[in-house]
Amino acid sequence: WTHFGWYYGKPATIWSLGILLHQMVCREHPFRRGHNISWDHQLLLPQQLSPECQNLFRWCLSMYSLERPSFEDLFWDLWMQ
């Protein structure tokens, strides 16, 4: 956002929600160590998380904003239900 000067509210909100959910479940910021995300788009997550939870985090924290879910998508996500 600061680099390009663009702000897309909904994708940014979903990203923030992904950060918040990760902090609530894992008790740490997903990018705290600076190496938890790479350019090949693999978010390193604790193995003890369920596959549904891991998928939700990866979906919300996708590098590409167009790949992130909408609010409506979140209501239908298996882990959120």
Side-chain angles (χ1 to χ4, degrees), residues 41-59:
H41 315 294
Q42 294 299 312
L43 177 64
L44 301 176
L45 296 168
Q47 292 298 313
Q48 65 268 25
L49 296 178
S50 70
E52 295 84 8
C53 183
Q54 290 186 26
N55 290 338
L56 178 63
F57 289 156
R58 286 194 176 99
W59 197 18

Side-chain angles (χ1 to χ4, degrees), residues 54-70:
Q54 290 186 26
N55 290 338
L56 178 63
F57 289 156
R58 286 194 176 99
W59 197 18
C60 290
L61 299 174
S62 172
M63 293 283 288
Y64 296 108
S65 61
L66 294 176
E67 292 178 358
R68 293 182 206 141
S70 67

